[in-house]
PDB file of all heavy atoms in Angstrom:
ATOM      1  N   MET A 236    -126.866 -59.447  35.655  1.00 98.00           N
ATOM      2  CA  MET A 236    -127.823 -60.014  34.722  1.00 98.00           C
ATOM      3  C   MET A 236    -127.901 -61.517  34.982  1.00 98.00           C
ATOM      4  O   MET A 236    -127.110 -62.266  34.538  1.00 98.00           O
ATOM      5  CB  MET A 236    -127.342 -59.786  33.280  1.00 98.00           C
ATOM      6  CG  MET A 236    -126.944 -58.316  32.987  1.00 98.00           C
ATOM      7  SD  MET A 236    -126.365 -58.069  31.270  1.00 98.00           S
ATOM      8  CE  MET A 236    -124.760 -58.809  31.323  1.00 98.00           C
ATOM      9  N   ASP A 237    -128.912 -61.917  35.719  1.00 98.00           N
ATOM     10  CA  ASP A 237    -129.034 -63.332  36.123  1.00 98.00           C
ATOM     11  C   ASP A 237    -130.304 -63.949  35.585  1.00 98.00           C
ATOM     12  O   ASP A 237    -131.297 -63.289  35.376  1.00 98.00           O
ATOM     13  CB  ASP A 237    -128.966 -63.390  37.671  1.00 98.00           C
ATOM     14  CG  ASP A 237    -128.701 -64.789  38.193  1.00 98.00           C
ATOM     15  OD1 ASP A 237    -128.255 -65.670  37.368  1.00 98.00           O
ATOM     16  OD2 ASP A 237    -128.917 -65.062  39.334  1.00 98.00           O
ATOM     17  N   GLY A 238    -130.244 -65.255  35.425  1.00 98.00           N
ATOM     18  CA  GLY A 238    -131.471 -66.003  35.048  1.00 98.00           C
ATOM     19  C   GLY A 238    -131.541 -66.460  33.620  1.00 98.00           C
ATOM     20  O   GLY A 238    -132.591 -66.993  33.202  1.00 98.00           O
ATOM     21  N   ASN A 239    -130.473 -66.291  32.852  1.00 98.00           N
ATOM     22  CA  ASN A 239    -130.486 -66.758  31.458  1.00 98.00           C
ATOM     23  C   ASN A 239    -130.716 -68.250  31.381  1.00 98.00           C
ATOM     24  O   ASN A 239    -131.468 -68.731  30.509  1.00 98.00           O
ATOM     25  CB  ASN A 239    -129.163 -66.433  30.815  1.00 98.00           C
ATOM     26  CG  ASN A 239    -128.896 -64.933  30.709  1.00 98.00           C
ATOM     27  OD1 ASN A 239    -129.733 -64.139  31.017  1.00 98.00           O
ATOM     28  ND2 ASN A 239    -127.707 -64.553  30.275  1.00 98.00           N
ATOM     29  N   GLY A 240    -129.993 -68.991  32.234  1.00 98.00           N
ATOM     30  CA  GLY A 240    -130.141 -70.475  32.187  1.00 98.00           C
ATOM     31  C   GLY A 240    -131.517 -70.955  32.521  1.00 98.00           C
ATOM     32  O   GLY A 240    -132.130 -71.771  31.880  1.00 98.00           O
ATOM     33  N   ARG A 241    -132.147 -70.283  33.592  1.00 98.00           N
ATOM     34  CA  ARG A 241    -133.453 -70.735  34.013  1.00 98.00           C
ATOM     35  C   ARG A 241    -134.474 -70.359  32.949  1.00 98.00           C
ATOM     36  O   ARG A 241    -135.445 -71.060  32.693  1.00 98.00           O
ATOM     37  CB  ARG A 241    -133.809 -70.067  35.344  1.00 98.00           C
ATOM     38  CG  ARG A 241    -133.241 -70.830  36.556  1.00 98.00           C
ATOM     39  CD  ARG A 241    -133.222 -70.039  37.804  1.00 98.00           C
ATOM     40  NE  ARG A 241    -132.133 -69.058  37.799  1.00 98.00           N
ATOM     41  CZ  ARG A 241    -131.976 -68.087  38.684  1.00 98.00           C
ATOM     42  NH1 ARG A 241    -132.927 -67.934  39.618  1.00 98.00           N
ATOM     43  NH2 ARG A 241    -130.946 -67.322  38.674  1.00 98.00           N
ATOM     44  N   ARG A 250    -128.943 -73.927  27.446  1.00 97.00           N
ATOM     45  CA  ARG A 250    -128.645 -72.688  28.228  1.00 97.00           C
ATOM     46  C   ARG A 250    -128.178 -71.537  27.417  1.00 97.00           C
ATOM     47  O   ARG A 250    -128.555 -70.390  27.680  1.00 97.00           O
ATOM     48  CB  ARG A 250    -127.508 -73.027  29.256  1.00 97.00           C
ATOM     49  CG  ARG A 250    -127.969 -73.964  30.412  1.00 97.00           C
ATOM     50  CD  ARG A 250    -126.775 -74.213  31.345  1.00 97.00           C
ATOM     51  NE  ARG A 250    -126.193 -73.004  31.830  1.00 97.00           N
ATOM     52  CZ  ARG A 250    -126.719 -72.252  32.845  1.00 97.00           C
ATOM     53  NH1 ARG A 250    -127.763 -72.703  33.483  1.00 97.00           N
ATOM     54  NH2 ARG A 250    -126.109 -71.134  33.228  1.00 97.00           N
ATOM     55  N   HIS A 254    -128.621 -67.046  27.052  1.00 98.00           N
ATOM     56  CA  HIS A 254    -127.610 -65.990  26.858  1.00 98.00           C
ATOM     57  C   HIS A 254    -127.911 -65.191  25.612  1.00 98.00           C
ATOM     58  O   HIS A 254    -127.775 -63.956  25.603  1.00 98.00           O
ATOM     59  CB  HIS A 254    -126.231 -66.552  26.877  1.00 98.00           C
ATOM     60  CG  HIS A 254    -125.822 -67.316  28.105  1.00 98.00           C
ATOM     61  ND1 HIS A 254    -126.081 -66.842  29.371  1.00 98.00           N
ATOM     62  CD2 HIS A 254    -125.236 -68.514  28.278  1.00 98.00           C
ATOM     63  CE1 HIS A 254    -125.625 -67.708  30.279  1.00 98.00           C
ATOM     64  NE2 HIS A 254    -125.103 -68.740  29.640  1.00 98.00           N
ATOM     65  N   GLY A 257    -130.570 -62.975  26.201  1.00 98.00           N
ATOM     66  CA  GLY A 257    -130.105 -61.912  27.115  1.00 98.00           C
ATOM     67  C   GLY A 257    -129.426 -60.767  26.366  1.00 98.00           C
ATOM     68  O   GLY A 257    -129.433 -59.635  26.902  1.00 98.00           O
ATOM     69  N   VAL A 258    -128.883 -61.010  25.223  1.00 98.00           N
ATOM     70  CA  VAL A 258    -128.307 -59.897  24.415  1.00 98.00           C
ATOM     71  C   VAL A 258    -129.393 -58.903  24.033  1.00 98.00           C
ATOM     72  O   VAL A 258    -129.130 -57.716  23.970  1.00 98.00           O
ATOM     73  CB  VAL A 258    -127.537 -60.470  23.207  1.00 98.00           C
ATOM     74  CG1 VAL A 258    -126.918 -59.311  22.404  1.00 98.00           C
ATOM     75  CG2 VAL A 258    -126.382 -61.404  23.652  1.00 98.00           C
ATOM     76  N   VAL A 261    -129.848 -56.646  26.810  1.00 98.00           N
ATOM     77  CA  VAL A 261    -128.763 -55.684  26.881  1.00 98.00           C
ATOM     78  C   VAL A 261    -129.011 -54.529  25.934  1.00 98.00           C
ATOM     79  O   VAL A 261    -128.976 -53.354  26.329  1.00 98.00           O
ATOM     80  CB  VAL A 261    -127.373 -56.353  26.570  1.00 98.00           C
ATOM     81  CG1 VAL A 261    -126.272 -55.311  26.411  1.00 98.00           C
ATOM     82  CG2 VAL A 261    -126.992 -57.418  27.596  1.00 98.00           C
ATOM     83  N   ALA A 280    -121.001 -58.946  32.795  1.00 98.00           N
ATOM     84  CA  ALA A 280    -121.165 -59.795  31.642  1.00 98.00           C
ATOM     85  C   ALA A 280    -120.508 -61.186  31.797  1.00 98.00           C
ATOM     86  O   ALA A 280    -120.982 -62.169  31.274  1.00 98.00           O
ATOM     87  CB  ALA A 280    -120.554 -59.124  30.395  1.00 98.00           C
ATOM     88  N   ASN A 285    -117.206 -67.536  36.408  1.00 98.00           N
ATOM     89  CA  ASN A 285    -117.864 -68.171  35.249  1.00 98.00           C
ATOM     90  C   ASN A 285    -116.949 -69.147  34.444  1.00 98.00           C
ATOM     91  O   ASN A 285    -117.432 -69.913  33.644  1.00 98.00           O
ATOM     92  CB  ASN A 285    -118.488 -67.131  34.289  1.00 98.00           C
ATOM     93  CG  ASN A 285    -119.666 -66.441  34.855  1.00 98.00           C
ATOM     94  OD1 ASN A 285    -119.974 -65.285  34.519  1.00 98.00           O
ATOM     95  ND2 ASN A 285    -120.400 -67.104  35.750  1.00 98.00           N
ATOM     96  N   ARG A 288    -117.725 -72.874  34.378  1.00 98.00           N
ATOM     97  CA  ARG A 288    -118.797 -73.465  33.543  1.00 98.00           C
ATOM     98  C   ARG A 288    -118.175 -74.301  32.440  1.00 98.00           C
ATOM     99  O   ARG A 288    -116.998 -74.163  32.109  1.00 98.00           O
ATOM    100  CB  ARG A 288    -119.636 -72.342  32.952  1.00 98.00           C
ATOM    101  CG  ARG A 288    -120.324 -71.591  34.043  1.00 98.00           C
ATOM    102  CD  ARG A 288    -121.303 -70.586  33.462  1.00 98.00           C
ATOM    103  NE  ARG A 288    -121.943 -69.912  34.592  1.00 98.00           N
ATOM    104  CZ  ARG A 288    -123.167 -69.351  34.569  1.00 98.00           C
ATOM    105  NH1 ARG A 288    -123.835 -69.388  33.471  1.00 98.00           N
ATOM    106  NH2 ARG A 288    -123.690 -68.823  35.654  1.00 98.00           N
ATOM    107  N   GLU A 292    -120.115 -73.614  27.010  1.00 98.00           N
ATOM    108  CA  GLU A 292    -120.883 -72.409  27.420  1.00 98.00           C
ATOM    109  C   GLU A 292    -119.995 -71.181  27.521  1.00 98.00           C
ATOM    110  O   GLU A 292    -120.433 -70.058  27.043  1.00 98.00           O
ATOM    111  CB  GLU A 292    -121.566 -72.674  28.809  1.00 98.00           C
ATOM    112  CG  GLU A 292    -122.460 -71.479  29.236  1.00 98.00           C
ATOM    113  CD  GLU A 292    -123.322 -71.769  30.441  1.00 98.00           C
ATOM    114  OE1 GLU A 292    -123.528 -72.963  30.803  1.00 98.00           O
ATOM    115  OE2 GLU A 292    -123.740 -70.764  31.042  1.00 98.00           O
ATOM    116  N   LEU A 296    -120.441 -67.690  25.356  1.00 98.00           N
ATOM    117  CA  LEU A 296    -120.560 -66.359  25.973  1.00 98.00           C
ATOM    118  C   LEU A 296    -119.544 -65.401  25.299  1.00 98.00           C
ATOM    119  O   LEU A 296    -119.928 -64.258  25.009  1.00 98.00           O
ATOM    120  CB  LEU A 296    -120.291 -66.456  27.504  1.00 98.00           C
ATOM    121  CG  LEU A 296    -121.497 -66.947  28.312  1.00 98.00           C
ATOM    122  CD1 LEU A 296    -121.083 -67.309  29.739  1.00 98.00           C
ATOM    123  CD2 LEU A 296    -122.570 -65.862  28.330  1.00 98.00           C
ATOM    124  N   LEU A 300    -120.285 -62.030  23.057  1.00 98.00           N
ATOM    125  CA  LEU A 300    -119.654 -60.768  23.377  1.00 98.00           C
ATOM    126  C   LEU A 300    -119.028 -60.189  22.105  1.00 98.00           C
ATOM    127  O   LEU A 300    -119.145 -58.996  21.763  1.00 98.00           O
ATOM    128  CB  LEU A 300    -118.601 -60.931  24.480  1.00 98.00           C
ATOM    129  CG  LEU A 300    -117.780 -59.723  24.768  1.00 98.00           C
ATOM    130  CD1 LEU A 300    -118.633 -58.679  25.521  1.00 98.00           C
ATOM    131  CD2 LEU A 300    -116.572 -60.075  25.651  1.00 98.00           C
ATOM    132  N   TYR A 303    -121.723 -59.059  19.734  1.00 98.00           N
ATOM    133  CA  TYR A 303    -122.356 -57.842  20.272  1.00 98.00           C
ATOM    134  C   TYR A 303    -121.495 -56.602  19.897  1.00 98.00           C
ATOM    135  O   TYR A 303    -121.994 -55.622  19.392  1.00 98.00           O
ATOM    136  CB  TYR A 303    -122.542 -57.919  21.776  1.00 98.00           C
ATOM    137  CG  TYR A 303    -123.120 -56.677  22.383  1.00 98.00           C
ATOM    138  CD1 TYR A 303    -124.428 -56.375  22.301  1.00 98.00           C
ATOM    139  CD2 TYR A 303    -122.249 -55.719  22.969  1.00 98.00           C
ATOM    140  CE1 TYR A 303    -124.948 -55.164  22.804  1.00 98.00           C
ATOM    141  CE2 TYR A 303    -122.786 -54.518  23.494  1.00 98.00           C
ATOM    142  CZ  TYR A 303    -124.104 -54.257  23.397  1.00 98.00           C
ATOM    143  OH  TYR A 303    -124.620 -53.105  23.909  1.00 98.00           O
ATOM    144  N   LEU A 352    -118.576 -52.818  30.782  1.00 98.00           N
ATOM    145  CA  LEU A 352    -118.833 -54.266  30.856  1.00 98.00           C
ATOM    146  C   LEU A 352    -117.773 -54.887  31.746  1.00 98.00           C
ATOM    147  O   LEU A 352    -116.603 -54.813  31.498  1.00 98.00           O
ATOM    148  CB  LEU A 352    -118.723 -54.902  29.425  1.00 98.00           C
ATOM    149  CG  LEU A 352    -119.768 -54.397  28.396  1.00 98.00           C
ATOM    150  CD1 LEU A 352    -119.523 -55.150  27.060  1.00 98.00           C
ATOM    151  CD2 LEU A 352    -121.173 -54.589  28.855  1.00 98.00           C
ATOM    152  N   TRP A 431    -133.294 -62.328  33.324  1.00 98.00           N
ATOM    153  CA  TRP A 431    -132.656 -61.294  32.507  1.00 98.00           C
ATOM    154  C   TRP A 431    -133.169 -61.270  31.064  1.00 98.00           C
ATOM    155  O   TRP A 431    -133.502 -60.172  30.527  1.00 98.00           O
ATOM    156  CB  TRP A 431    -131.126 -61.414  32.532  1.00 98.00           C
ATOM    157  CG  TRP A 431    -130.502 -60.438  31.629  1.00 98.00           C
ATOM    158  CD1 TRP A 431    -129.863 -60.644  30.429  1.00 98.00           C
ATOM    159  CD2 TRP A 431    -130.485 -58.980  31.808  1.00 98.00           C
ATOM    160  NE1 TRP A 431    -129.461 -59.444  29.871  1.00 98.00           N
ATOM    161  CE2 TRP A 431    -129.830 -58.412  30.684  1.00 98.00           C
ATOM    162  CE3 TRP A 431    -130.997 -58.115  32.774  1.00 98.00           C
ATOM    163  CZ2 TRP A 431    -129.683 -57.019  30.527  1.00 98.00           C
ATOM    164  CZ3 TRP A 431    -130.863 -56.753  32.651  1.00 98.00           C
ATOM    165  CH2 TRP A 431    -130.226 -56.206  31.505  1.00 98.00           C
TER     166      TRP A 431
HETATM  167  C1  FPP B 745    -126.191 -65.267  34.290  1.00 69.04           C
HETATM  168  O1  FPP B 745    -127.225 -66.169  33.958  1.00 69.04           O
HETATM  169  C2  FPP B 745    -125.643 -64.573  33.118  1.00 69.04           C
HETATM  170  C3  FPP B 745    -124.367 -64.712  32.628  1.00 69.04           C
HETATM  171  C4  FPP B 745    -123.392 -65.532  33.338  1.00 69.04           C
HETATM  172  C5  FPP B 745    -123.950 -64.032  31.414  1.00 69.04           C
HETATM  173  C6  FPP B 745    -124.545 -62.818  30.983  1.00 69.04           C
HETATM  174  C7  FPP B 745    -124.365 -62.632  29.539  1.00 69.04           C
HETATM  175  C8  FPP B 745    -125.224 -62.081  28.660  1.00 69.04           C
HETATM  176  C9  FPP B 745    -126.488 -61.446  29.025  1.00 69.04           C
HETATM  177  C10 FPP B 745    -124.945 -62.122  27.193  1.00 69.04           C
HETATM  178  C11 FPP B 745    -123.689 -61.433  26.709  1.00 69.04           C
HETATM  179  C12 FPP B 745    -123.437 -60.078  27.269  1.00 69.04           C
HETATM  180  C13 FPP B 745    -123.170 -58.992  26.558  1.00 69.04           C
HETATM  181  C14 FPP B 745    -122.825 -57.750  27.269  1.00 69.04           C
HETATM  182  C15 FPP B 745    -123.120 -58.926  25.093  1.00 69.04           C
HETATM  183  P1  FPP B 745    -127.058 -67.648  34.393  1.00 69.04           P
HETATM  184  O2  FPP B 745    -126.553 -68.429  33.246  1.00 69.04           O
HETATM  185  O3  FPP B 745    -126.208 -67.758  35.626  1.00 69.04           O
HETATM  186  O4  FPP B 745    -128.562 -68.015  34.737  1.00 69.04           O
HETATM  187  P2  FPP B 745    -129.063 -69.140  35.764  1.00 69.04           P
HETATM  188  O5  FPP B 745    -128.716 -68.665  37.155  1.00 69.04           O
HETATM  189  O6  FPP B 745    -130.568 -69.113  35.535  1.00 69.04           O
HETATM  190  O7  FPP B 745    -128.455 -70.454  35.387  1.00 69.04           O
END
Side-chain angles (χ1 to χ4, degrees):
M236 308 180 288
D237 195 16
N239 295 353
R241 278 164 281 170
R250 289 180 55 81
H254 300 314
V258 178
V261 171
N285 289 151
R288 297 187 178 206
E292 183 172 340
L296 280 167
L300 175 71
Y303 176 80
L352 298 182
W431 176 250

